[in-house]
Each structure stands twice: as C-alpha cells, then as structure tokens.
Amino acid sequence: MSENLLTIQDLKVYFDVKGGLLKRTVAHVKAVDGVNLEIKKGEILGLVGESGCGKTTVGRAILRLLEPTSGAVYFNGNDILNLHRSQLKPLRHDMQIVFQDPFSSLDPRSRIGEIIAEGLRVHGVKDADERRQRVLETLKLVGMNETHMRRFPHEFSGGQRQRIGIARALVLNPSFIVLDEPVSALDVSIQSQVLNLLKDLQKALNLTMLFIAHDMSVVEHVCDRVAVMYLGKVVEISSREELFRNPQHPYTQALMSAIPIPNPKIKRERIILQGDVPSPLNPPKACRFHTRCREAIAMCSEVDPILEDLGNHHFCSCHLRQPTN
Amino acid sequence: MGTFILRRLILSIPVLLGILFLTFALTRLLPGDPCRAALQEKATEEACNAFNQRYGLDRPITVQFKIYLQDFVQGDLGTSIKYNYSVMRLIVERLPTTLELSIMAMFFAVAVGIPLGLLSAYYHNSSIDIGTMVIANIGVSMPVFWLGLMLAYFFAVVLKGTPFVLPPSGSQSPGMQIQPFYEAWGLNIEPARSSVWAFISNMTITNAALAGDWAGFKDGFRHMILPMVALGTIPMSIIARMTRSSLLEVLGQNYVKTARAKGAYERNVVLNHAFRNAMLPVVTIIGLSLGSLLSGALLTETIFGLAGVGSALYDAINGRDYTVVQAFTVIIAVIFVIINLLVDVLYVFLDPRIRLN
Amino acid sequence: MTDTPVDLTKKPDKPKGLWRETFESLLRKPSAVAGMIILGSLLLIAIIAPLLATHPPNRVLLDVPEEGVSKRMDPCIHLFGCPKAGDELLNIKPDAAISMAALNSTGSLIMAVSGNTVEVWRTEDGSKLFSLPHEEPVRHAAWSANDQRILTASGEKLYVWDVNTREPLYILDHPGGATFVAWSRDGTRFASAGEQDVHFWLDCKQIAYSIACSGSSFGATTENKTFVDEGVAQLEEPWTSIQWDSNGTFLMIATGNKIQLWTSAGGVVYASKTIEHEAPVTSVRYNRESTRILSTSGNKLHIWRASSPYEELQVFEYDEPLASASWGEQTKEGNLRVLAMATSGNTLLVWDTRTGEQLDVVSAGDEPLRGAISPLATRYLGYSESTAYVWDADTNELLFSKDLDNGTIQNAVWQNTGGSIVVTGEQDIRVMKTSNFQYIMGTDGSLRDEYSRLIYATRVSLRVGFTSVTFAIILGTIAGAIAGYMGGWTDNIIMRIMDVMLAFPPLILAIAVVTILGPGLNNALIAISVVFIPAYARVVRSGVLSVKEQDYVMADRALGVSPMRILFRRILPNVMAPLIVQATLGIGTAILDAAALSFLGLGAQPPTAEWGYMLSEERNQLFTAPHLVFFPGLAIMITVLAFNLLGDGLRDALDPRLNR
C-alpha cells in the first residue's frame, strides 16, 4: 500500500464536567482516550462502534472542529493540531466532512446553491459565474441538477439532502473526507444509493475517506479497512475481509453477530452483550471491555491491553488474543 | 434538592449585590450633583457640605458603596426629604395595603384565569374558546390605569342607583371606624408603629375579619373589589392563556391519547390526566406575574386612592423625592428576587424532573 | 398573445422563501390578520395624521365657544352625523307670529315673544318649557342677568316673572307703554324705554340703602315695594339704540346726533355725558368691558373712550353710510386683536382698532345687511330681511347663507357662547351652527381638540415603541451574540449584568432610570430601551447557543468560514425568528410602559400629545368627561393588542419551522 495520508497519534479528547456549588470542573469525560490510526491515500477506513464510543469525536477532532486535549494528527506530513487557527484555512481545502443528520446539517435559510457555493466563496473563488459553474458540476456529480440550486433544504428528501451535504464537501475538491455516519439517518432503500454514490465518487475522484458508522453491514459494503472503537479506544483494526472473516476481539465478535444474514436457514449464535455501556465519565480500569466481556479473565481488570499486530496487519487489543508468532 | 436550593440561594447573592450596586451607581455615578438633586432649592454650599459628609459623598466610591451596603443591611434606606420621614417607616406603614391588594388580585387572577383557560382548552376552537381568548388578549393589552379608571366610572357612575354600585376610591367608607383587632380581642397592648400587630391591623379587610366586624369587612371588601379586578386582570389574562396553551400541549401528548384510547371520559382526561401536568408552566407564570403586580400596584393604588407602597412611590415621583424613589426601587427589586427564588424552590417541589437533576 | 392552458401540475419555478411562507401562514390565522390590519391602519394614521386631524395637536382652541363649551362633555361623533355649518340645530315654531326672541346667558333657554305670550323653550332639544300669558300683546322682553327672572313689557305694564314659579313677581306701570326693556348686567336695575322716555327701575332688595328705596311714594304696585322707579330720562329725539354698560352704572342711549350716558344717583336720573356726532347716530355698542364705545354715524365709525375724558380714539371712514356697529375680540397665538365692524348696504366692513387698518370687506346679496362679529371674532354674521350669511373671519370665505322661506328675518344674533346664530323670523326661531369644524371627541381641559391629539399621538406612541425596541434589539443582540458566541467568562459577566437588570420589575427600573435622567419622552424612551435589553440578550444568546451546535454551523467551520461570517450569515439569521416574535410583543409592552411613565408624569411632557399623558391629564375629569379618559386608553389598548396579536401569530407561524 502507498503512504499514509493521515496519521493519528495518541489522540485524546476530554470534556470537562462541571458540578458542585461553584460549577468547578470535577471530572472529565474521556470521549477519546489515546487513539492511533493511519489512513492511507485512496482508502476508505471504517470506524465503527456503539453510540457514545467517541468515533464522531475522533472525526471532528481530526478536522479541528473540536479542540483535542492532546495527541497529534499528521495530514500530508503537517501536524494539524499545532497549526494556528488562521493556518487551518488552506487545510480545509483538502479535508472535508459529511454529517450524519441531513436535516440539521443544511441551513434552513439558505438556498442549495448558496450552501454549496459557500466553500468556494470562502476559498477565494470570487467570480459568481465560476462559482455557479462549479456548484453545478458538483451537483451533477452527486446526481442532482440545475433546478435544485434555487430551492431550500426543506424541499428535499433525506437522501437528496445527504447528496447536497456530500456536494458541499466535494465542491472544494478535497483529498480527504470524514463521513460521519452519512447514511444512518436514512431509510435503508436510500442508504444503498448513497453508499454506492460514495463508492463511485471515491473511485472517480481518488478520495481518501474516514467512514464512521455504527452499522457493521454498512461498513462491510464500503470500507477497505475497518477500525473498531469501544469507549474512546480502538480495540481492533484490520482489512475488511480479514475482520469479517476472522474477528478477533470479543467486542468485534459481538458486533458481528448482530449483522443480519440474508439467509433465514443459517442459524448463528448471537452474542448478547451484558449490561449497558459503562459511563465514559468513569470508564472501567484496565481493559475497558472487561465488564461486559464473556471471556474476561482476572488479568483483564488489572492490566490495560495494547493494540498488537496479530499478523497480516490485523491489530487487536486483547489479553486473550496474542500474536501467532 | 437541598443542593439545588442552596445553589439557588447563593446565586441570588450576586444578583442582590448587583441590584444594590446598580441603584447605587444610578444615584452616584451618573452626571449631576446628588446633593443638588436631593436638596434641590435648599442646596446651599454649607448644606451640600453637610449632606456630602452625612452620606460620605466626599469619600472614595468604594467606601461609599460600603457605607451604602451597611446602611441597607441595617435597614436604613434614607430619609424622605419631603416629609422628613424614614423611608423604612414609610414602607412598614404602607406595605400592608399593598400586600392585601396584591394577594387579592392574585387570588382573583388565579380563580378566574385557570377556569377560563380550562374552558377554552376543553372547548377548543369553539365560540367559547374564541371568546375567552379575545377577552384574554384584550386583558393583556390593557393599560392598568385605564382599566382602573374605566371600572371606577362604570361601577360608580353608570351603575349608580343599582345594587351593583361600588365605591371608586379609598379603602373604607368615610365614617367607617374599625377597631384594631387586638383591641377587639381585649388585648391591652399599645403596639409600636412597626410591630407585627400594627402591621396586621393596617390591612383593612384582614383587620376587620380578625376583629369580627362584619360590616367593616363588607365595606372594606367592597372598596377592594375594583382595585382587585383592575390589578388582577393582566395576570388573569396571562394565566388563562398559559393554562390553555399548556393544556392543549399536554392534551396532544401520547399518555393523554392513551387515556382517551382506554375509553376515559373526556372530562376525566382533561381534569385528571392533563390538568395536573399542564399546571407546571402556569405556576411559573403565576410566580413571574407576582413581580409585575408590584408595578401594577403602583398604578392601581394611585387611581383608587389606596394608601399603599405604590401610591407612596407615586407621591415621591411627583414630589421629586428621589431618595424615596430609589429606596423603593431597591426594595421592590429585592422583593422581586425573593419571590422568584421562592417560585423556583416551589417549582422543585412540584416538578419531579428537576429533583432528579 | 395566445391563451395557453395552465399546467397545474407544474411546480412554480421560484420556490417560496421562508418569509413568504411565514407570511402565508400568518394570513391563515384570523387573529394575526386582525393584528396586521389594525397595525397597518395605525401606521397609516400616523403617516397621514395631518390629513385626518382637524386641528394642530397643541393648538389651544380659544374659539372653542364657537362649538359650544359643552362639547367637552358631550362630543359629537362624526360617524353618526354631526351638524355642519348652516344646519339648523333647532327650529322653534310658536303658535303665533314672533315679534322677538332672546337667549338666556348660558344659551340653554330661548324666549320667544309671540302675541300675548312669552314662550320659553329649551335649546337642548327644542321642547317648550313654559309660557307666560299676558292680557295685551307683549312688545319686548328681557332676561335678568342671572336668568332667574324675565322682564316683559305689555301694554302700559311691565311684568317681572319668576322663571321657577312662572308667576309674575311684580307688575309695574310704564305710562305710555314701553317698547324696550333691558336689565343691567349687575342685575340691580333695569330700564324700560318708551318713545322718548326711559325709566330707571331699581331693585330695592339688592340696594336697600338707596335713597330711591327709602322714599315711599314711588312706583311699585305690589305690597312689598321692591322695584322703584328711580326716574325718567326724557330724550329730545327718539332713541335708536340703548345699552347698559357692564357694571350697571350707565345706560347708553343713542338719540339723534348724540350718544348720551345716563345714570342715576340719589334718586335723580341725569345724563352724565353727551357725545356729539356730525350726523345721526345709527348704532352704538359698548365693548365687553365697557371701556370703549363704538358708534356709527353717517359715513364714519367712531371709537370713543368710555370714561373721562371721553375723547375720540379712532375714526374710520367709508364711502357709504354705515350702520350696525359691533365689536369682536380675537386672541390668536396670544395676541389680542380688537376688531370693529359696521355694515354699509350689502357690505360688511371690519377694522383692526389697534392699527386702524381696514381688514376685511365682504358683501353678499343686494339687500342692505345688518351684522355682528362673533364674540371671539372668528366669524362674521350678516343678515338682510330674507337671508342670513356667515363668513369665516380668517379666510373671508362665506361659510353659508340661509334663506328664510317664510317671512322676513327680524333679528339675528350670536349665541352668547358664539357656537351658533339665533335667527328670529316671523314664524320660527332657528338656531344654526356656524362651522363645519367639529371637535369630534370634544376638547380637553386645556381646550385642545381631543380627536386631533389622539390622532397625532399615534405617531408618538409608534415612534416610542419602534425606537425603544430597535435600540434594545441592537444592544441586546450585540450583548447576547457576544455572550453566546464567546462563552466563558465574557458570557458570565454579560449575563450576570442582564440578570441584575431582570431582577427589577420593568416599569420600576424604567422609573428609576427616568428619575435619574429627568422626566421627558426621550428619557422615557431610553429607560424603556435599557429595561428591555436583557430580554433580547437572552433570546439571542440562547438562540446562538442552540444554533452554534447545529451541524450546518459545524459544516461552515469545516469549510473554513470566518467566525464573523458564521455569526452574521448563519447564526443571527436563524436567531431572527424568536427575535422578531419577541420584538413584536416587545413593541406593545414598550408602548404600554411609555404610556404608564407618561401617566406618572415621567414620560411625555406638556403639551405633547401622548396617550398616557392625555389620559393622566384628564383623569380628574373622569366623572364629568369620561370620554377624555376612555379614548386615549382605548387607543393604547388597540395598539398594544395589534402588536400582541401579530406577535402571537408570528410565534405560531415561525415555531414549527424552528423545531424542524
């Protein structure tokens, strides 16, 4: 594989929790607690996990839409987190995001044309005709047309809106896009359309994508590699085929078992996770999954496992899964 | 919950300090000589020097504010320049009437407003609903002073000669003498002006009721009806509107639909399932209205010639007795803050959701 | 052009904007429509106020008696039809032919002499009150100064009637019969005039110390000798005009070429002064205070000093003989102008007695006119035998002319208050209104037109409402946007200040601010703005906080849009909706508070036409002139109601969109 476009090193994002009489900071929510990821040029990396595991936070922190607590993010070799706010602007050209909720991600007061052209305006395309031309091209790219430009967001369906959201991200010709659960708010029938569109676009424009999702089946459909997150940490990373064929981490296995199989005759054991997701305010010590893990041993609650390569670029952080060699 | 109340109490302290600072700033920091403003034509140089020394105006601002705070805590709100009368004494003497009037007005507002809102929601979109809402809309748009004057004219002039005629001013008929209730009880006390005894006996109706003077009670009540309606109409309209909209919202909730689906009678649905839950915002509104009652009392008392805090403030405004105006402003704001505090605390008791947080 | 069928399935090319949709949903709500209509009308009224108003708002209407003082109490509402100039307010038809008529001093009663009776009518509704029968034809009659008595001359007798009992109190003898009777203005005596003899009668009940009363042989035929005949003024020639002075000392008689001032002292009646003219005196008039005498003689109009040395002050000449002199005193913008009028043929001539300038010449018809200036010199009255004319004194425009179709006009006079003219014909007495101007809602206590003030006050209130809310919105939006967008300690400080301001009941804080700034409309406006800032700051802040977290703002940040642009292009427009609702409701509250401040004397200062101030000014008149309190309050209520209805409608129209 080619070089890394994006490297995330030990990314931590903590949120302050205020309380007490004087509203002092009494605790932190460790939304993202030491995440390492590498995204190669032209690949689609899936990031999956339950809601609240910090995957969205990772996506936003990469783009500096949130201020990370510590860590480093290298994009094309530049450390994004050390850039001053004013230096971020050129970077925005290359990195974009598509949001989960197509209803709240479009300003209800702006016309579609204006929404998409906003990025061009910000990045110095002064000529209105040129902007219009580029907006039109991008719209066509996502399967929409000129008549839609003068309409308002509320006149569109969810799928159309998500296409508009994608167009907004694409209009600047970015090389990297964070897709923050782009289809989870859509009907299943629309989901595949959008997913196919994304795949097509990725091929056509040679895009690199971070695809955040909570639905394994969606990830299976799109991604080249998949990272699984649990409570602010990555527990397993592998290529898609490897992961789906041979999931290692007990949590991943549990997630896998929840994917419906389109053949009713095949019976599969469903792994039902016990209990709720622990509060990120007070996450379990050592291995964070041990409170719900059916294979947990004493060591799991004492020593924090590290993400180790099990071979074949299959990384997993579990005391029970050791490298084969 | 204790923490919540404590927190709420602690949060009120900066607000109270802010109120005091704002009023202090209004008097001291704005252009213009406070001495001249206070003494006006009596402001000779010696008088001003004495005045400045008396109020510490020759000292730094921070010291002045400290003195101001000390005076306030000790209940020294200054002296009415017009009457050479302590402002605190004025308030203690005048407050009973205002208190009685406000309580009656609030009672009227609640007793009329909630049923009106209930009717309006129950017969949603019917002519009853429209009629009620027209009344409520007009009610909130009416100047209190105008309503008061119109009521006075209608009940004292137009209805003259009918049994419905009501006195347009004062708190009792001329010649009506009501014994202070403690005397009627045979208590042999000579209460100081500011004692609780005097305070209660200054409330005309309460005193008459306590003294067992039925004629006096009736007379006092008749005098209070018009001010009560005038002062209570705006909160009444607000309460009616709030009751209606809150009830309509609750009636659209799923649990109410469930109750209906179970076959409960509509009346039962409205009164038992919806009403209690719809009352929460209404309680907030009632609390907020208490504050506006204070400004309303100012106008109502003036019109109906009631010797309350409001009319004292009006006299002070007209007499350019600014010490009194500012003292009253502080006092009313402090009362307002305390009322809001009480409403918040009451709300915690009423709404279990807040208790959870 | 060809007709092409409209494709109904085709979507409109231009999609509806959010505001247009809001507007359309407003139109579906009757209450909001009502609010918009009222508001539109109010704005229109404010803009075209000068066209609607009948008077300038602060003009003190010194000519108010032209309309009648009672208009303050009993306004004429134009919609229901008000009488116009020339309209008959009253038409009284006694049974027999009328020989003369006279109003009492307040103008509430009119007395008509017809045949043997004197009939008294109420001018309010034209109903007959009573009639006083006599044995012989009544030749003249007069009201006493206090209107309690009526003096009549019938045959050789004089009757003094009591108006309350309708019985003759006294019957006195005037040998040879009187053709004219006049009560002195102090009510102590009256004069009765025959052909060339004028009797002086003294009321001994009022002046018991007079020598005339102590004598026993004189006059009165009743047992209690109340009226005594003081003496007789014997004239050399028949009199043409008789008038008492204002304090009842002198009786001015014009006779031949002379004016004689007769008086009585010590039971003797004598002419104390004689003013000679070159030609026969045709008419003579005292001014109101009896300090000047106006007389016409030949071609000249003379003004004489009515006290020693009785010199001629001014003389005006005209080409033709002059008659029917009359005074008028006009106060305009504080200047007193004394006008003198005389008639000549079909022409009325008016001079300014101060400058000597000839002011107006108006003429009408072919017949010779008699005439009079209205008491406050705002109108001229002229009448021939068949027609009565009224001119406007300012413009010289003929306001109306009225032909008397049955019989000739015997006399036409101004009503004492000047509101109308009383035209006495042979068959009927008509009271006619002399102006089109109506004080539609009466006049206020300072004699200003209530209706015009009400109209102009719309401007003031709307201005106060819009301006104070605009200020409050601007400052509140800045504070709220900064607080919400910056967060942290900036937010904390700003919002704590707002909390403190919100701790005051709004009106009370406004009062405190105004007492510091000093009373006045502008200061009230500032105070109200200040008081309202926290409300807008809160709305904007909470809006900013909620919009800030929206994904579309996040998307803008991802695109690298600058924070300022995000604030102005994304956040503020999306906060507009609640802000506009709040502002609409806020304008109503601001108007209400401004009115309350004015009511307390802290807002609009005299003479500004402002509803709250108008109301407070007349609140003591509540029981006598309730409409002066009613209309301003109603105007406030309607205005506030309009804003409230519109605000509620806007809230309902904008809310579902906000939730989307």
Short mmCIF file of all heavy atoms in Angstrom, two decimals, chain A residues 23-53:
data_model
loop_
_atom_site.label_atom_id
_atom_site.label_comp_id
_atom_site.label_asym_id
_atom_site.label_seq_id
_atom_site.Cartn_x
_atom_site.Cartn_y
_atom_site.Cartn_z
N LYS A 23 -19.68 25.21 40.38
CA LYS A 23 -19.52 24.80 38.99
C LYS A 23 -18.05 24.67 38.63
O LYS A 23 -17.59 25.21 37.62
CB LYS A 23 -20.22 25.80 38.06
CG LYS A 23 -21.72 25.81 38.19
CD LYS A 23 -22.34 24.86 37.22
CE LYS A 23 -23.85 24.77 37.43
NZ LYS A 23 -24.43 23.61 36.80
N ARG A 24 -17.30 24.02 39.48
CA ARG A 24 -15.91 23.75 39.14
C ARG A 24 -15.87 22.50 38.28
O ARG A 24 -16.79 21.69 38.27
CB ARG A 24 -15.11 23.50 40.41
CG ARG A 24 -14.82 24.77 41.17
CD ARG A 24 -13.37 24.74 41.66
NE ARG A 24 -13.17 25.80 42.63
CZ ARG A 24 -13.42 25.62 43.93
NH1 ARG A 24 -13.84 24.45 44.36
NH2 ARG A 24 -13.23 26.59 44.76
N THR A 25 -14.71 22.32 37.62
CA THR A 25 -14.54 21.09 36.87
C THR A 25 -14.27 19.96 37.85
O THR A 25 -13.30 20.00 38.60
CB THR A 25 -13.35 21.23 35.90
OG1 THR A 25 -13.62 22.35 35.07
CG2 THR A 25 -13.19 19.99 35.07
N VAL A 26 -15.16 19.01 37.89
CA VAL A 26 -14.99 17.93 38.87
C VAL A 26 -14.54 16.64 38.22
O VAL A 26 -14.04 15.75 38.89
CB VAL A 26 -16.29 17.67 39.65
CG1 VAL A 26 -16.59 18.85 40.55
CG2 VAL A 26 -17.44 17.39 38.73
N ALA A 27 -14.70 16.51 36.90
CA ALA A 27 -14.30 15.27 36.26
C ALA A 27 -14.13 15.51 34.77
O ALA A 27 -14.43 16.59 34.27
CB ALA A 27 -15.35 14.20 36.50
N HIS A 28 -13.62 14.51 34.09
CA HIS A 28 -13.51 14.59 32.64
C HIS A 28 -14.27 13.43 32.03
O HIS A 28 -14.26 12.34 32.57
CB HIS A 28 -12.06 14.49 32.19
CG HIS A 28 -11.18 15.54 32.78
ND1 HIS A 28 -11.21 16.84 32.36
CD2 HIS A 28 -10.27 15.50 33.78
CE1 HIS A 28 -10.35 17.55 33.06
NE2 HIS A 28 -9.78 16.76 33.95
N VAL A 29 -14.89 13.71 30.91
CA VAL A 29 -15.40 12.61 30.11
C VAL A 29 -14.31 12.30 29.10
O VAL A 29 -13.94 13.18 28.31
CB VAL A 29 -16.69 13.02 29.38
CG1 VAL A 29 -17.10 11.90 28.44
CG2 VAL A 29 -17.79 13.31 30.37
N LYS A 30 -13.80 11.08 29.18
CA LYS A 30 -12.72 10.74 28.25
C LYS A 30 -13.35 10.18 26.99
O LYS A 30 -13.45 8.97 26.81
CB LYS A 30 -11.76 9.76 28.90
CG LYS A 30 -11.11 10.37 30.14
CD LYS A 30 -10.13 9.43 30.79
CE LYS A 30 -9.48 10.14 31.98
NZ LYS A 30 -8.56 9.24 32.70
N ALA A 31 -13.79 11.09 26.14
CA ALA A 31 -14.52 10.67 24.95
C ALA A 31 -13.60 9.90 24.01
O ALA A 31 -13.97 8.91 23.41
CB ALA A 31 -15.11 11.88 24.25
N VAL A 32 -12.39 10.43 23.86
CA VAL A 32 -11.40 9.74 23.05
C VAL A 32 -10.15 9.66 23.91
O VAL A 32 -9.66 10.67 24.40
CB VAL A 32 -11.09 10.52 21.75
CG1 VAL A 32 -10.00 9.82 20.97
CG2 VAL A 32 -12.35 10.67 20.92
N ASP A 33 -9.67 8.46 24.11
CA ASP A 33 -8.59 8.30 25.08
C ASP A 33 -7.43 7.53 24.47
O ASP A 33 -7.27 6.34 24.71
CB ASP A 33 -9.14 7.59 26.32
CG ASP A 33 -8.20 7.74 27.51
OD1 ASP A 33 -7.27 8.59 27.42
OD2 ASP A 33 -8.39 7.04 28.50
N GLY A 34 -6.63 8.22 23.64
CA GLY A 34 -5.45 7.58 23.09
C GLY A 34 -5.74 6.73 21.87
O GLY A 34 -5.64 5.52 21.90
N VAL A 35 -6.15 7.40 20.80
CA VAL A 35 -6.46 6.66 19.57
C VAL A 35 -5.31 6.82 18.59
O VAL A 35 -4.79 7.93 18.40
CB VAL A 35 -7.78 7.18 18.96
CG1 VAL A 35 -7.91 6.72 17.52
CG2 VAL A 35 -8.96 6.70 19.79
N ASN A 36 -4.88 5.70 18.01
CA ASN A 36 -3.87 5.73 16.95
C ASN A 36 -4.47 5.15 15.68
O ASN A 36 -5.02 4.05 15.71
CB ASN A 36 -2.66 4.88 17.35
CG ASN A 36 -1.93 5.52 18.52
OD1 ASN A 36 -1.28 6.55 18.37
ND2 ASN A 36 -2.07 4.91 19.69
N LEU A 37 -4.38 5.89 14.61
CA LEU A 37 -4.92 5.40 13.35
C LEU A 37 -4.05 5.89 12.21
O LEU A 37 -3.41 6.93 12.30
CB LEU A 37 -6.35 5.93 13.12
CG LEU A 37 -7.52 5.29 13.87
CD1 LEU A 37 -8.78 6.05 13.52
CD2 LEU A 37 -7.66 3.83 13.49
N GLU A 38 -4.02 5.10 11.15
CA GLU A 38 -3.33 5.55 9.94
C GLU A 38 -4.29 5.36 8.79
O GLU A 38 -4.92 4.30 8.68
CB GLU A 38 -2.06 4.73 9.70
CG GLU A 38 -0.98 5.05 10.72
CD GLU A 38 0.16 4.06 10.66
OE1 GLU A 38 0.04 3.07 9.90
OE2 GLU A 38 1.16 4.27 11.35
N ILE A 39 -4.40 6.34 7.96
CA ILE A 39 -5.27 6.22 6.79
C ILE A 39 -4.41 6.41 5.55
O ILE A 39 -3.73 7.43 5.41
CB ILE A 39 -6.41 7.24 6.81
CG1 ILE A 39 -7.20 7.10 8.12
CG2 ILE A 39 -7.35 7.02 5.63
CD1 ILE A 39 -8.27 8.12 8.30
N LYS A 40 -4.47 5.43 4.70
CA LYS A 40 -3.63 5.51 3.51
C LYS A 40 -4.35 6.24 2.41
O LYS A 40 -5.57 6.33 2.39
CB LYS A 40 -3.26 4.09 3.05
CG LYS A 40 -2.47 3.34 4.09
CD LYS A 40 -2.03 2.00 3.58
CE LYS A 40 -1.21 1.29 4.65
NZ LYS A 40 -2.01 0.94 5.84
N LYS A 41 -3.57 6.78 1.50
CA LYS A 41 -4.12 7.52 0.39
C LYS A 41 -5.04 6.62 -0.42
O LYS A 41 -4.71 5.49 -0.72
CB LYS A 41 -2.98 8.02 -0.51
CG LYS A 41 -3.26 9.41 -1.05
CD LYS A 41 -2.03 10.00 -1.69
CE LYS A 41 -2.04 11.51 -1.53
NZ LYS A 41 -0.74 12.09 -1.68
N GLY A 42 -6.21 7.13 -0.72
CA GLY A 42 -7.13 6.41 -1.58
C GLY A 42 -7.88 5.29 -0.91
O GLY A 42 -8.60 4.54 -1.57
N GLU A 43 -7.78 5.17 0.38
CA GLU A 43 -8.52 4.07 1.01
C GLU A 43 -9.71 4.62 1.79
O GLU A 43 -9.79 5.81 2.11
CB GLU A 43 -7.61 3.26 1.93
CG GLU A 43 -7.69 3.66 3.38
CD GLU A 43 -6.89 2.77 4.31
OE1 GLU A 43 -6.77 1.57 4.04
OE2 GLU A 43 -6.40 3.30 5.33
N ILE A 44 -10.65 3.70 2.06
CA ILE A 44 -11.76 4.07 2.91
C ILE A 44 -11.60 3.30 4.21
O ILE A 44 -11.63 2.07 4.22
CB ILE A 44 -13.12 3.70 2.28
CG1 ILE A 44 -13.27 4.40 0.92
CG2 ILE A 44 -14.26 4.10 3.19
CD1 ILE A 44 -14.58 4.12 0.25
N LEU A 45 -11.37 4.07 5.28
CA LEU A 45 -11.21 3.42 6.57
C LEU A 45 -12.54 3.51 7.31
O LEU A 45 -13.09 4.59 7.51
CB LEU A 45 -10.11 4.09 7.37
CG LEU A 45 -9.96 3.58 8.82
CD1 LEU A 45 -9.44 2.14 8.83
CD2 LEU A 45 -9.06 4.47 9.63
N GLY A 46 -13.06 2.39 7.73
CA GLY A 46 -14.29 2.40 8.51
C GLY A 46 -13.97 2.53 9.98
O GLY A 46 -12.98 1.97 10.45
N LEU A 47 -14.77 3.32 10.69
CA LEU A 47 -14.58 3.45 12.14
C LEU A 47 -15.92 3.10 12.76
O LEU A 47 -16.90 3.84 12.60
CB LEU A 47 -14.16 4.88 12.48
CG LEU A 47 -13.74 5.16 13.92
CD1 LEU A 47 -12.56 4.29 14.32
CD2 LEU A 47 -13.37 6.63 14.07
N VAL A 48 -16.00 1.96 13.45
CA VAL A 48 -17.30 1.53 13.97
C VAL A 48 -17.26 1.43 15.48
O VAL A 48 -16.21 1.34 16.10
CB VAL A 48 -17.74 0.17 13.39
CG1 VAL A 48 -18.17 0.30 11.96
CG2 VAL A 48 -16.65 -0.85 13.55
N GLY A 49 -18.44 1.45 16.03
CA GLY A 49 -18.58 1.33 17.47
C GLY A 49 -19.98 1.75 17.87
O GLY A 49 -20.73 2.30 17.04
N GLU A 50 -20.33 1.45 19.12
CA GLU A 50 -21.66 1.86 19.58
C GLU A 50 -21.72 3.37 19.69
O GLU A 50 -20.68 4.05 19.73
CB GLU A 50 -21.92 1.25 20.96
CG GLU A 50 -22.18 -0.24 20.92
CD GLU A 50 -22.10 -0.82 22.31
OE1 GLU A 50 -21.01 -0.79 22.90
OE2 GLU A 50 -23.14 -1.27 22.80
N SER A 51 -22.92 3.89 19.83
CA SER A 51 -23.00 5.34 20.00
C SER A 51 -22.38 5.70 21.36
O SER A 51 -22.52 4.98 22.33
CB SER A 51 -24.45 5.84 19.93
OG SER A 51 -25.34 4.83 20.25
N GLY A 52 -21.67 6.83 21.37
CA GLY A 52 -21.02 7.26 22.59
C GLY A 52 -19.62 6.72 22.76
O GLY A 52 -18.97 6.98 23.76
N CYS A 53 -19.12 5.98 21.76
CA CYS A 53 -17.80 5.40 21.94
C CYS A 53 -16.71 6.38 21.54
O CYS A 53 -15.53 6.12 21.74
CB CYS A 53 -17.66 4.11 21.13
SG CYS A 53 -17.57 4.40 19.37
#
